[in-house]
Amino acid sequence: MSAYHPLTEQEAIELAQSLSNFFPEGAKLQSREIGDGNLNLVFHISDPATGKSLIMKQALPYAKVVGESWPLTLDRARIESEALIIEGKLAPGLVPQVYHYDADLALTIMEDLSDHVIMRRGLIECGRYPKFANDISEFLANTLFFTSDLGMNQQQKKLQVQNFINPELCKITEDLIFDDPYTVSENNNFEDAIADEAEALRADTALHLEVALLRQKFLTNAQALLHGDLHTGSIFITPESTKVIDPEFAYYGPMGFDIGAVLANLLLNYAGQEYWSTEDRAREEYRAYLLDTIQAIWTQFDQKFRALWDEHGVDRMANETEDFQNFYMQSLLQDSIGYAGCKMVRRIVGLAHVADIDKIPDPEKREKAQRLALAIGKALLKWNRKAASIDEVLEIAKKGV
Amino acid sequence: MSAYHPLTEQEAIELAQSLSNFFPEGAKLQSREIGDGNLNLVFHISDPATGKSLIMKQALPYAKVVGESWPLTLDRARIESEALIIEGKLAPGLVPQVYHYDADLALTIMEDLSDHVIMRRGLIECGRYPKFANDISEFLANTLFFTSDLGMNQQQKKLQVQNFINPELCKITEDLIFDDPYTVSENNNFEDAIADEAEALRADTALHLEVALLRQKFLTNAQALLHGDLHTGSIFITPESTKVIDPEFAYYGPMGFDIGAVLANLLLNYAGQEYWSTEDRAREEYRAYLLDTIQAIWTQFDQKFRALWDEHGVDRMANETEDFQNFYMQSLLQDSIGYAGCKMVRRIVGLAHVADIDKIPDPEKREKAQRLALAIGKALLKWNRKAASIDEVLEIAKKGV
């Protein structure tokens, strides 16, 4: 019989207290449940006397999204915990530290990052994060390179693939990102004002071919251990620090899916900024900052990934074959652009939206932001297999509707 | 403690006798060990009184190839047995029936196919197999389609990937096919007469790019459950029957690797026939028969795979997206041609050769056959990403050196 049950706050405190060498013995701990209750319980446990605190995240055996509830494997807690530990080794300081994992309770105890903000909120408030491009490009280059056949023992990598088979969470992505937005589905969710856009998506056969190709890659291409859900709601940030959280969708997939997620969420904010900011000049400056950030992320990722390859590449054919690295990096850019497009489209017409756009109060401005995001997303999708430079993404974004 | 130990003939007989409902009780069984002792023990066990017989194949914990010996996992017996059972369900009658699998002994008891001949020998003797193109195209279409994301539940497929992680046997392929022939390696094995060809392979950077790309796909692309070693030595044949054996290299990889293996081994025989046959007209006729067979295999595979897709496709995006099927089939053809090229090259300069060419007694003729096989293999490699029709393979083969 499994010992699993959702913890009460009192049980959470007792478990935290039993963690050796974290809180002083006899500390009077406080607990706040800060999760949204849709997927996980999240306890913030602190000792007011010393100011020490930690986060306890427990998976719930179901998912609730927009009112729907369906059963969901607790194995995702193991995957999240193991992925965090791997990412922490490969990209030190860029993920929360894991203190403890309890398999029976599907529970991870980790570093408290309450001094950070969720990046999505930070971007909506026009925050600037001068370290972000450097940090996220390092996170992407290190985690993707060193879990791939380029950077780790290729037989060990196969065992990693085996360990990160993640059918239930992959299925969510396969449905919500690579299928529903392009057909009539109960999972779709869009405002009446853009019903014409949703209909156009269903009829656009050239677009469907690109999505179908990217879907096949997502299903079959075990290139590297992905975070699997790397949007700006999975990033905690300050001007000095970046922490990637919540890798419960981790699995072996195409690298461009993670890179594209970051680009897409910056572009979604870009599309929303058009209508958020009240002052024209500030708005234009912030939008330029977002595009500069996108360019810096790809450019630095490309440099760092190539440098890792040159220094640590394990595959003789990949290392010594002229032009192979250039070919590989261009494929990564193309995939990243394609996946960015998929992710923008689904955030406008699919089940789960983003606050960057949905919280724009004025309905007309919101509609325009939605149309802009869709225009950029579709253009990225139609361009992806032809892409040769990140500059082309910036041009597409600047061109607008 | 494991019960594993290599069986004696007497133990093999006792095990066969204990198999319920196969041999009559008290039957006086005879055993012959017919394996080559390099990888497996193979016992042929028969009851002269009834004429009934079976094959007992036991994995040895090492591999011996050309004098070298290295340890090799016994798990390959499980993989072989499970792959045979899956293939038997998906392509009935085209693999030996599995009667029993013993995990502790790494042993599979299966149908005796002694009335068939190994296809490589059959081809060397200019045998004609009018059912072969039909049978092998059916084997390929059924096993590849129904184990892929196109034809089976996509979450179940991920568990199949997990079950068929096969690091040690994949490593053999990765080294011997996708690395050694293109560098200086102790694993290479070629005659002095073609040392210039081996040197040219090492210097041909355009060729290396193609091989590196195909190697990456082999490492990462979990498209379908492959046989993994589908050369003509893994096929038992008669004019009326085709049986695919020995899937111990089975794993989830790119479909073109299996298809290409069949094409390559027919082309290796084609290259050898140039110099085997004594009578010109018979030789030309047989070579034409081999090319007709290649064309028929691809054409029928293409038809059957598309028909399965149209009737049983499970992926809405793949099914309903205009042009996606054409795109997919063309990619399969291109991969098949690329992998066929890799397999031809490695059989001439790599560790393991083929009798179709190596047993040509006249050294000058043998050398010419080797050069012809290399010329065809290299041409296929350089053409693979541009290919649009199987006819192009025939043209390359006819063109010769």
Side-chain angles (χ1 to χ4, degrees):
Chain A
M1 209 187 77
S2 166
Y4 178 82
H5 64 283
L7 292 189
T8 63
E9 295 217 307
Q10 190 50 42
E11 288 172 312
I13 286 175
E14 284 161 19
L15 189 58
Q17 193 58 273
S18 74
L19 203 67
S20 61
N21 296 325
F22 193 85
F23 293 115
E25 212 153 322
K28 291 215 172 358
L29 301 184
Q30 297 183 345
S31 168
R32 270 183 309 137
E33 208 283 297
I34 57 173
D36 59 6
N38 285 335
L39 281 164
N40 304 290
L41 294 174
V42 183
F43 300 99
H44 178 270
I45 296 179
S46 58
D47 173 21
T50 58
K52 292 193 81 171
S53 59
L54 54 73
I55 292 292
M56 195 175 288
K57 178 173 175 182
Q58 183 180 34
L60 291 167
Y62 52 78
K64 285 188 200 162
V65 182
V66 197
E68 295 268 341
S69 175
W70 63 79
L72 196 60
T73 177
L74 293 173
D75 189 46
R76 68 189 199 276
R78 175 190 66 80
I79 284 177
E80 174 170 352
S81 170
E82 293 186 7
L84 275 179
I85 290 166
I86 290 170
E87 290 164 357
K89 280 186 192 151
L90 297 178
L94 296 176
V95 297
Q97 195 185 337
V98 173
Y99 302 133
H100 181 70
Y101 165 64
D102 185 315
D104 288 336
L105 290 172
L107 173 148
T108 302
I109 303 179
M110 64 187 123
E111 188 179 0
D112 176 23
L113 300 169
S114 304
D115 55 332
H116 291 59
V117 298
I118 291 287
M119 187 173 182
R120 189 179 303 291
R121 173 188 294 262
L123 293 180
I124 290 173
E125 293 169 357
C126 295
R128 304 224 175 187
Y129 303 101
K131 282 200 67 196
F132 176 66
N134 177 67
D135 286 349
I136 202 72
S137 61
E138 182 175 320
F139 176 85
L140 289 166
N142 287 17
T143 61
L144 298 177
F145 178 81
F146 282 116
T147 60
S148 79
D149 286 294
L150 299 173
M152 78 178 282
N153 176 289
Q154 298 183 338
Q155 276 45 60
Q156 288 296 319
K157 180 248 180 179
K158 293 172 177 68
L159 302 179
Q160 287 275 58
V161 171
Q162 196 171 39
N163 195 40
F164 284 98
I165 293 287
N166 197 353
E168 287 188 42
L169 279 85
C170 283
K171 169 89 170 132
I172 295 173
T173 303
E174 289 154 20
D175 289 348
L176 299 189
I177 299 186
F178 298 115
D179 187 349
D180 295 326
Y182 307 95
T183 188
V184 174
S185 165
E186 286 186 357
N187 289 332
N188 287 335
N189 169 28
F190 50 83
E191 299 194 52
D192 289 344
I194 59 159
D196 61 316
E197 293 273 12
E199 195 183 332
L201 284 173
R202 294 196 291 272
D204 190 340
T205 53
L207 197 74
H208 294 181
L209 180 60
E210 301 307 325
V211 176
L213 290 170
L214 290 157
R215 175 182 167 89
Q216 275 299 309
K217 260 190 202 172
F218 184 87
L219 287 166
T220 58
N221 192 11
Q223 202 173 26
L225 180 62
L226 306 188
H227 177 282
D229 193 27
L230 194 47
H231 57 83
T232 45
S234 295
I235 299 170
F236 267 127
I237 200 154
T238 73
E240 294 79 36
S241 168
T242 307
K243 304 276 186 185
V244 174
I245 64 169
D246 288 355
E248 57 199 356
F249 282 79
Y251 89 112
Y252 262 80
M255 298 180 184
F257 188 76
D258 270 4
I259 306 165
V262 176
L263 305 184
N265 279 274
L266 292 171
L267 287 170
L268 284 162
N269 186 270
Y270 172 92
Q273 286 298 341
E274 176 90 16
Y275 306 101
W276 268 117
S277 313
T278 46
E279 197 225 308
D280 282 356
R281 207 183 113 202
R283 183 179 76 201
E284 284 315 306
E285 279 178 13
Y286 195 70
R287 295 179 81 210
Y289 159 74
L290 291 171
L291 295 190
D292 287 348
T293 303
I294 286 172
Q295 191 175 43
I297 290 169
W298 174 263
T299 306
Q300 292 185 36
F301 168 79
D302 183 77
Q303 287 164 356
K304 289 170 185 174
F305 196 93
R306 287 175 188 266
L308 292 175
W309 191 334
D310 292 342
E311 189 171 357
H312 302 288
V314 301
D315 185 301
R316 194 198 67 75
M317 282 299 288
N319 296 345
E320 296 182 14
T321 298
E322 214 174 291
D323 285 335
F324 183 71
Q325 191 179 90
N326 290 334
F327 193 103
Y328 196 100
M329 297 312 293
Q330 179 161 336
S331 298
L332 283 192
L333 176 68
Q334 293 173 346
D335 286 358
S336 302
I337 291 172
Y339 286 118
C342 291
K343 278 155 181 277
M344 293 187 75
V345 168
R346 77 96 162 209
R347 291 293 194 180
I348 305 302
V349 301
L351 183 64
H353 287 211
V354 292
D356 316 56
I357 287 180
D358 268 31
K359 300 280 189 198
I360 297 172
D362 182 299
E364 274 181 40
K365 288 187 177 177
R366 190 168 65 242
E367 179 189 332
K368 281 187 184 165
Q370 289 172 344
R371 289 184 190 272
L372 175 58
L374 279 178
I376 296 172
K378 290 194 290 185
L380 294 178
L381 272 165
K382 292 206 175 159
W383 186 251
N384 81 94
R385 284 187 292 145
K386 304 186 199 95
S389 159
I390 190 68
D391 295 344
E392 295 153 12
V393 174
L394 310 189
E395 282 163 33
I396 285 170
K398 283 180 200 159
K399 194 171 162 226
V401 184
Chain B
M1 210 186 76
S2 165
Y4 178 83
H5 64 284
L7 293 189
T8 63
E9 297 218 307
Q10 189 51 42
E11 288 173 311
I13 286 176
E14 284 161 21
L15 189 58
Q17 193 60 270
S18 73
L19 203 67
S20 62
N21 296 324
F22 194 86
F23 293 115
E25 212 154 320
K28 292 217 169 6
L29 301 184
Q30 297 183 345
S31 168
R32 267 184 313 137
E33 208 284 296
I34 57 173
D36 59 7
N38 286 333
L39 282 163
N40 304 290
L41 294 174
V42 183
F43 300 99
H44 178 271
I45 297 179
S46 58
D47 172 22
T50 59
K52 292 192 81 171
S53 59
L54 54 72
I55 292 292
M56 195 175 286
K57 179 173 174 182
Q58 183 180 33
L60 291 166
Y62 53 78
K64 285 189 199 160
V65 183
V66 197
E68 296 268 340
S69 175
W70 62 81
L72 195 60
T73 176
L74 294 173
D75 189 46
R76 69 188 199 274
R78 175 190 67 79
I79 284 178
E80 173 170 353
S81 170
E82 294 186 8
L84 275 179
I85 290 167
I86 290 171
E87 291 164 356
K89 280 186 191 149
L90 297 178
L94 296 176
V95 296
Q97 194 185 337
V98 173
Y99 302 134
H100 181 70
Y101 165 64
D102 186 314
D104 288 335
L105 290 171
L107 173 149
T108 301
I109 304 179
M110 65 187 120
E111 187 180 1
D112 176 24
L113 300 168
S114 303
D115 55 331
H116 290 60
V117 299
I118 291 288
M119 188 174 180
R120 188 178 306 289
R121 173 189 293 263
L123 293 180
I124 289 173
E125 294 169 356
C126 296
R128 305 225 174 186
Y129 303 102
K131 283 200 67 198
F132 177 65
N134 177 66
D135 287 347
I136 202 73
S137 62
E138 183 176 320
F139 176 84
L140 289 166
N142 287 19
T143 61
L144 298 177
F145 178 81
F146 283 116
T147 60
S148 80
D149 287 293
L150 299 172
M152 78 177 283
N153 176 288
Q154 297 181 339
Q155 276 46 59
Q156 287 297 319
K157 180 247 180 178
K158 293 171 176 69
L159 302 179
Q160 287 275 57
V161 171
Q162 197 170 38
N163 194 41
F164 285 98
I165 293 288
N166 197 354
E168 287 189 41
L169 277 85
C170 283
K171 169 88 170 133
I172 295 173
T173 303
E174 290 155 19
D175 289 349
L176 299 189
I177 299 185
F178 297 115
D179 188 349
D180 295 326
Y182 306 97
T183 188
V184 174
S185 165
E186 287 186 357
N187 289 332
N188 287 336
N189 169 28
F190 50 83
E191 299 193 52
D192 289 343
I194 60 160
D196 61 315
E197 294 274 12
E199 195 183 333
L201 283 173
R202 294 197 291 272
D204 190 340
T205 53
L207 196 75
H208 294 182
L209 180 60
E210 301 306 325
V211 176
L213 291 170
L214 290 158
R215 176 182 166 90
Q216 276 299 309
K217 261 191 199 170
F218 185 86
L219 288 166
T220 59
N221 191 12
Q223 203 173 27
L225 180 62
L226 306 188
H227 177 282
D229 193 27
L230 195 45
H231 58 83
T232 44
S234 296
I235 299 170
F236 266 126
I237 200 154
T238 73
E240 295 79 36
S241 169
T242 307
K243 303 278 185 184
V244 174
I245 63 169
D246 289 356
E248 56 200 359
F249 283 79
Y251 89 111
Y252 262 80
M255 297 181 185
F257 188 75
D258 270 5
I259 307 165
V262 176
L263 305 185
N265 279 273
L266 292 172
L267 288 169
L268 284 162
N269 186 268
Y270 173 92
Q273 286 299 340
E274 177 89 16
Y275 306 101
W276 268 115
S277 312
T278 45
E279 198 225 310
D280 282 357
R281 209 184 111 199
R283 183 179 75 202
E284 284 316 306
E285 279 178 14
Y286 195 70
R287 296 180 80 208
Y289 160 74
L290 291 170
L291 295 190
D292 288 348
T293 303
I294 286 171
Q295 190 175 42
I297 290 169
W298 174 263
T299 306
Q300 293 185 37
F301 169 78
D302 182 77
Q303 286 164 356
K304 289 170 186 173
F305 196 94
R306 287 175 188 267
L308 292 174
W309 191 335
D310 292 342
E311 189 171 358
H312 302 288
V314 300
D315 185 301
R316 195 198 66 75
M317 282 300 288
N319 296 345
E320 296 181 14
T321 297
E322 216 175 289
D323 287 335
F324 182 70
Q325 192 179 90
N326 291 334
F327 193 102
Y328 195 100
M329 297 311 294
Q330 181 162 336
S331 298
L332 283 192
L333 176 67
Q334 292 172 345
D335 287 358
S336 302
I337 292 172
Y339 286 118
C342 291
K343 278 156 181 275
M344 291 186 76
V345 169
R346 78 95 161 208
R347 291 294 194 178
I348 306 301
V349 301
L351 182 64
H353 287 211
V354 291
D356 316 55
I357 286 179
D358 268 31
K359 300 280 189 198
I360 296 173
D362 182 297
E364 276 181 36
K365 288 187 176 178
R366 190 168 64 242
E367 179 189 334
K368 282 186 182 167
Q370 289 172 343
R371 290 185 189 273
L372 175 58
L374 278 178
I376 296 171
K378 289 194 291 184
L380 294 177
L381 272 166
K382 294 209 174 157
W383 185 251
N384 82 94
R385 285 187 292 145
K386 304 188 200 91
S389 157
I390 189 68
D391 295 343
E392 295 153 13
V393 173
L394 309 190
E395 282 162 34
I396 285 170
K398 283 180 200 157
K399 195 172 160 223
V401 185

